[in-house]
Amino acid sequence: MSALPRLPLDRECPMHPPKTYARLQANEPVARAEVYNGDKVWLITKYEYVKALLGDERFSAVPSMPGYPQLSAGVGAAALEERTFLRMDNPDHDHYRKMLTREFTVKAVQRLSPRVQQMIDGLIDDMLTKGPPLDLVPALGLALPSMVITLLLGAPEEDHAFVQDRASARINFNATPEQTRAATRDLLGYLEKLVTEKENEPGDDILSRLIVTYGRTGALSHEEIVHMGRLLISAGHETTSSMISLGTLALLENPGQQAALVGDPSLADRAVEELLRYLTIIPFSTRRVATAEVEIGGHTIRPGEGVFMLTPAANRDPEHFPEPDRLDITRDARHHLAFGYGVHQCLGQQLARMELQAVFATLFTRIPTLRLAVPMAEVSFRDDSVTYGVRALPVTW
Ligand code: HEM
């Protein structure tokens, strides 16, 4: 039997990464491991090395490259169908990403901020009207990012549930390749219709602007616009949703931190960076395959070898975050790697930050007595998905 660690490793505590990461970081920051089918991969756990390799364009993000590392057959099949810049290298990556950057600048996000605040206020009004106990995941965690992404794409709000269900199915480790392919097909079919509608009658939304600026000049095909819409749904939905629910739980589990935020809601921006660091909810997306020989930490990574740049480990590196296992919303955690690093660093990070800051500043101010409605041991965690999170979060006040 092989003695190599096999990804994904189990967590001993749901709020912390597997303990093996810290052990590797201290003793073997560039280590070997294996994945579901026995393929060998490299695990990088030290902050410096993770950052260096993510910024190194000798590594490819293209899943069809031989040796590209995968976590499960199903998620691998979904990645192979990816036709967007998330899974492209330069120069193609930059060519396509540039078409979306102006939609996610600080300025563009600031313009959206009053609408997002209204949405949050409305959702919390509904929670208060309904009364406790309730599940925070559908009430706020999932509801807000769904509303925001449908607003951005100009999609009908009533399509939330369908979009959410199909987007989740694509990234479940236990799904078969047939299941993830079917989920991708459903989402593409849905967007196909939406994009066709907007081609006939453009509105004030991202898809329409892509159609008018790039579709009509021939710079983007109909199919490419469909795939970009699919990427935005997948990337912007479950991620922010998980951060809202799991972030709330982390604060409820650390009452001193919750009290500090209630006492000073202007701490929300620091709190969000710290929660992003502490939770690092996208643990495995930063995986690549080497296209050249690369020396790191006394090891040589050879072309065609797969590498997991483990951001959850890097974000707990004591050399960069003293007492890394402590949630401290007053620390300056802005240099965390929860949004990745390098050319693929999260395009939607300013939007995610704005949504999260507004949620945490508002939620704990309006419901300062918010608490878990069940013992922590009864909270069910979603550990079978590319996005880590909770399945439900029963709260009361
Ligand atoms: C890329 C995390 C929210 C759009 C990424 C990557 C990470 C990440 C780690 C890099 C993946 C890689 O290197 O392979 C997160 C987290 C979020 C979040 C933790 C919420 C808290 C969003 C939102 C949007 C978005 C709201 C847009 C609506 C994207 C896109 C990419 C990306 C388009 C691909 C960038 C590229 O390849 O150039 N995200 N994300 N994300 N994210 Fe996010």
Side-chain angles (χ1 to χ4, degrees):
M1 216 175 86
S2 160
L4 290 180
R6 177 176 279 237
L7 287 182
L9 298 169
D10 288 336
R11 294 173 186 246
E12 294 78 5
C13 166
M15 301 306 278
H16 296 286
K19 284 187 178 155
T20 303
Y21 290 2
R23 188 177 51 74
L24 289 175
Q25 191 175 66
N27 304 312
E28 214 186 335
V30 179
R32 293 302 261 166
E34 60 181 26
V35 288
Y36 72 103
N37 57 1
D39 282 359
K40 306 279 178 293
V41 293
W42 290 98
L43 290 191
I44 315 294
T45 45
K46 194 177 156 70
Y47 180 95
E48 240 96 39
Y49 296 168
V50 169
K51 195 168 169 179
L53 296 195
L54 282 174
D56 188 330
E57 293 198 33
R58 289 174 296 174
F59 289 90
S60 169
V62 179
S64 57
M65 291 277 285
Y68 181 87
Q70 284 301 353
L71 269 172
S72 77
V75 172
L80 274 172
E81 292 190 320
E82 183 76 55
R83 304 259 183 282
T84 66
F85 56 91
L86 171 66
R87 301 285 173 227
M88 289 178 190
D89 296 332
N90 277 336
D92 298 347
H93 166 272
D94 279 1
H95 172 73
Y96 289 104
R97 177 170 164 137
K98 274 197 189 114
M99 297 178 180
L100 279 175
T101 42
R102 71 182 176 138
E103 302 287 349
F104 294 97
T105 58
V106 174
K107 231 169 141 186
V109 166
Q110 268 168 0
R111 273 199 301 273
L112 267 178
S113 167
R115 290 287 296 273
V116 170
Q117 186 63 51
Q118 268 173 7
M119 291 174 184
I120 296 170
D121 290 338
L123 290 168
I124 296 178
D125 286 344
D126 292 347
M127 284 172 61
L128 291 167
T129 308
K130 232 170 160 185
L134 54 74
D135 180 359
L136 192 95
V137 172
L140 185 65
L142 267 177
L144 180 69
S146 311
M147 288 164 84
V148 173
I149 203 77
T150 35
L151 171 75
L152 289 179
L153 295 183
E157 255 191 62
E158 59 272 20
D159 297 345
H160 287 169
F162 166 81
V163 164
Q164 151 63 23
D165 176 74
R166 301 289 69 203
S168 296
R170 282 185 77 245
I171 56 171
N172 189 298
F173 296 153
N174 297 323
T176 62
E178 291 69 37
Q179 285 168 327
T180 57
R181 278 192 211 110
T184 304
R185 225 177 15 250
D186 291 348
L187 275 178
L188 291 175
Y190 170 79
L191 276 150
E192 172 76 48
K193 236 178 92 214
L194 191 64
V195 170
T196 305
E197 278 165 24
K198 291 180 185 302
E199 280 164 348
N200 296 329
E201 203 178 327
D204 180 15
D205 55 71
I206 296 182
L207 291 177
S208 297
R209 284 190 285 277
L210 285 176
I211 290 164
V212 172
T213 316
Y214 301 106
R216 290 190 179 162
T217 61
L220 273 185
S221 68
H222 168 85
E223 199 201 348
E224 285 170 330
I225 298 172
V226 166
H227 278 266
M228 276 202 189
R230 212 275 312 133
L231 171 64
L232 292 179
I233 284 181
S234 300
H237 204 193
E238 198 137 306
T239 46
T240 316
S241 159
S242 172
M243 270 307 296
I244 293 173
S245 304
L246 199 59
T248 301
L249 176 60
L251 288 166
L252 296 181
E253 279 298 285
N254 289 273
Q257 303 295 307
Q258 182 187 355
L261 187 58
V262 173
D264 181 3
S266 74
L267 279 175
D269 54 349
R270 279 197 169 217
V272 165
E273 299 311 311
E274 172 66 347
L275 288 166
L276 284 161
R277 175 194 78 82
Y278 185 77
L279 299 168
T280 316
I281 53 143
I282 311 286
F284 302 117
S285 286
T286 44
R287 56 183 193 274
R288 307 282 190 264
V289 59
T291 62
E293 220 166 76
V294 178
E295 299 286 331
I296 187 99
H299 292 268
T300 306
I301 300 176
R302 297 185 198 288
E305 290 183 343
V307 184
F308 281 81
M309 290 95 171
L310 286 177
T311 50
N315 282 342
R316 299 285 184 118
D317 187 333
E319 285 181 22
H320 290 266
F321 306 98
E323 290 188 72
D325 296 333
R326 197 161 64 85
L327 180 75
D328 174 4
I329 64 163
T330 62
R331 84 163 88 212
D332 182 358
R334 274 174 304 181
H335 54 302
H336 67 72
L337 303 175
F339 287 125
Y341 184 74
V343 296
H344 292 283
Q345 195 180 38
C346 182
L347 174 71
Q349 59 185 284
Q350 301 306 345
L351 175 62
R353 284 193 167 101
M354 182 269 278
E355 288 184 53
L356 293 170
Q357 288 169 11
V359 163
F360 293 124
T362 314
L363 179 63
F364 291 100
T365 309
R366 290 199 57 197
I367 319 184
T369 58
L370 193 75
R371 60 185 191 279
L372 264 184
V374 296
M376 177 69 172
E378 285 176 26
V379 177
S380 166
F381 290 84
R382 201 185 47 224
D383 51 8
D384 56 357
S385 167
V386 168
T387 310
Y388 186 63
V390 284
R391 291 182 210 281
L393 190 65
V395 290
T396 189
W397 55 89

